[in-house]
């Protein structure tokens, strides 16, 4: 098994090595921060042309997870699009792929700060939703237990190479890594993330397998002047 399995509130979660979250008892797949259309937004706002391959790569990764797990419900946890104009910039092949992935399944677009309005691509648009006692929203709040995204957390440990996208969780909150191909990230040692979690929090590095690392270890490494964290 390449996933990290843990209990959160009244749910069993699988933090997948890909950065997706699988909830087997509800046959629900959750991904966050796809940021489809990012290259289009950068071109529109800065004039810098980046090869527009992120949509294809991101959708291929998502399709692989859907084929592997066969979910009944997919929840996209906000910032699925880099902005609302990026929805219109999706080419016919990308739109066809999305429609194919949605067929026969419940698909939920959660509102993000980049994509605050409904999109005309099938599925439902919600500000947030609840599974069991757990709220699913884009940005962490005081209403816990919750699952969110937004921060694109990353972490690394000595001997494991570059910083990796990671999950961060304790008993109250879980933050997912960004699933999109062109997304950056914020170190888990940054105060914006660190202040949200208890000392007992766990990070789960993605990659070839999901690797849990206590957040307390991240803080000790930072205090010793290590390059990671």
């Amino acid at each position: 098994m390449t996933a990290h399995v843990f209990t959160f509130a009244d749910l069993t979660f699988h933090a997948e090595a890909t950065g997706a979250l699988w909830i087997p008892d509800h046959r629900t797949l959750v991904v966050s921060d796809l940021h489809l259309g990012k290259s289009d937004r950068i071109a529109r706002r800065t004039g810098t042309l980046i090869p527009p391959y992120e949509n294809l790569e991101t959708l291929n990764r998502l399709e692989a997870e859907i084929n592997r797990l066969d979910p009944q419900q997919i929840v996209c946890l906000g910032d699925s699009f880099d902005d609302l104009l990026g929805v219109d910039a999706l080419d016919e092949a990308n739109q066809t792929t999305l429609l194919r992935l949605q067929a026969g399944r419940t698909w939920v677009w959660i509102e993000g700060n980049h994509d605050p309005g409904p999109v005309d691509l099938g599925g439902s648009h919600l500000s947030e939703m609840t599974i069991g006692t757990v709220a699913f929203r884009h940005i962490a709040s005081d209403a816990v237990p919750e699952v969110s995204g937004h921060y694109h957390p990353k972490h690394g440990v000595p001997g494991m190479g570059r910083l990796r996208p990671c999950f961060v969780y304790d008993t109250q909150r879980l933050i997912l890594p960004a699933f999109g191909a062109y997304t950056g990230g914020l170190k888990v040692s940054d105060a914006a993330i660190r202040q949200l979690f208890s000392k007992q929090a766990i990070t789960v590095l993605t990659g070839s397998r999901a690797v849990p690392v206590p957040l307390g270890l991240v803080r000790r490494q930072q205090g010793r002047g290590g390059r990671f964290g």
Side-chain angles (χ1 to χ4, degrees), residues 179-197:
F179 197 82
Y182 275 14
T183 52
L186 186 65
K187 289 184 178 181
V188 296
S189 59
D190 189 281
I193 295 176
R194 195 176 64 240
Q195 68 185 357
L196 295 170
F197 292 96

Side-chain angles (χ1 to χ4, degrees), residues 155 159 199:
H155 178 46
K199 293 181 180 179

Side-chain angles (χ1 to χ4, degrees), residues 15-136:
E16 300 291 337
T18 59
L21 180 70
W22 175 234
I23 312 173
D25 292 342
H26 294 264
R27 301 200 59 78
T28 294
L29 180 68
V30 186
V31 292
S32 189
D33 295 273
L34 302 178
H35 283 276
L36 299 171
K38 185 168 185 176
S39 59
D40 175 75
R41 181 186 65 83
I42 291 173
R44 279 187 278 108
R45 296 190 180 185
T46 70
T48 301
L49 298 179
I50 299 175
Y53 301 138
E54 86 278 13
N55 295 340
L56 178 61
E57 181 177 346
T58 299
L59 291 175
N60 283 346
R61 292 181 63 227
L62 181 56
E63 183 170 18
E65 287 297 88
I66 290 173
N67 290 340
R68 182 173 69 90
L69 296 168
D70 191 24
Q72 293 177 349
Q73 175 172 246
I74 293 92
V75 178
C76 297
L77 209 57
D79 285 3
S80 300
F81 303 92
D82 212 53
D83 62 11
L84 289 176
L85 291 177
V87 178
D88 299 327
L90 292 181
D91 63 25
E92 184 176 352
N94 294 155
Q95 293 187 38
T96 299
T97 297
L98 273 172
L99 291 174
R100 185 178 72 251
L101 297 180
Q102 291 172 351
R105 301 181 175 91
T106 300
W107 192 287
V108 180
W109 303 105
I110 297 293
E111 177 178 303
N113 57 295
H114 279 251
D115 49 5
V119 296
D120 188 22
L121 285 171
S124 303
H125 180 270
L126 301 174
S127 59
E128 61 181 64
M129 65 179 291
T130 302
I131 301 176
T133 62
V134 181
F136 290 74

Side-chain angles (χ1 to χ4, degrees), residues 131-205:
I131 301 176
T133 62
V134 181
F136 290 74
R137 56 176 63 95
H138 181 60
I139 302 177
S141 74
D142 292 330
V144 294
E146 67 173 10
V147 174
S148 63
H150 180 64
Y151 289 103
H152 306 192
K154 285 192 172 184
H155 178 46
V157 294
M160 294 188 69
R162 60 182 177 81
L163 295 174
R164 300 185 190 179
C166 67
F167 300 82
V168 190
Y169 75 92
D170 59 14
T171 60
Q172 298 295 309
R173 291 187 178 88
L174 166 64
I175 294 180
L176 269 60
F179 197 82
Y182 275 14
T183 52
L186 186 65
K187 289 184 178 181
V188 296
S189 59
D190 189 281
I193 295 176
R194 195 176 64 240
Q195 68 185 357
L196 295 170
F197 292 96
S198 68
K199 293 181 180 179
Q200 288 71 45
I202 301 292
T203 66
V204 183
L205 278 61

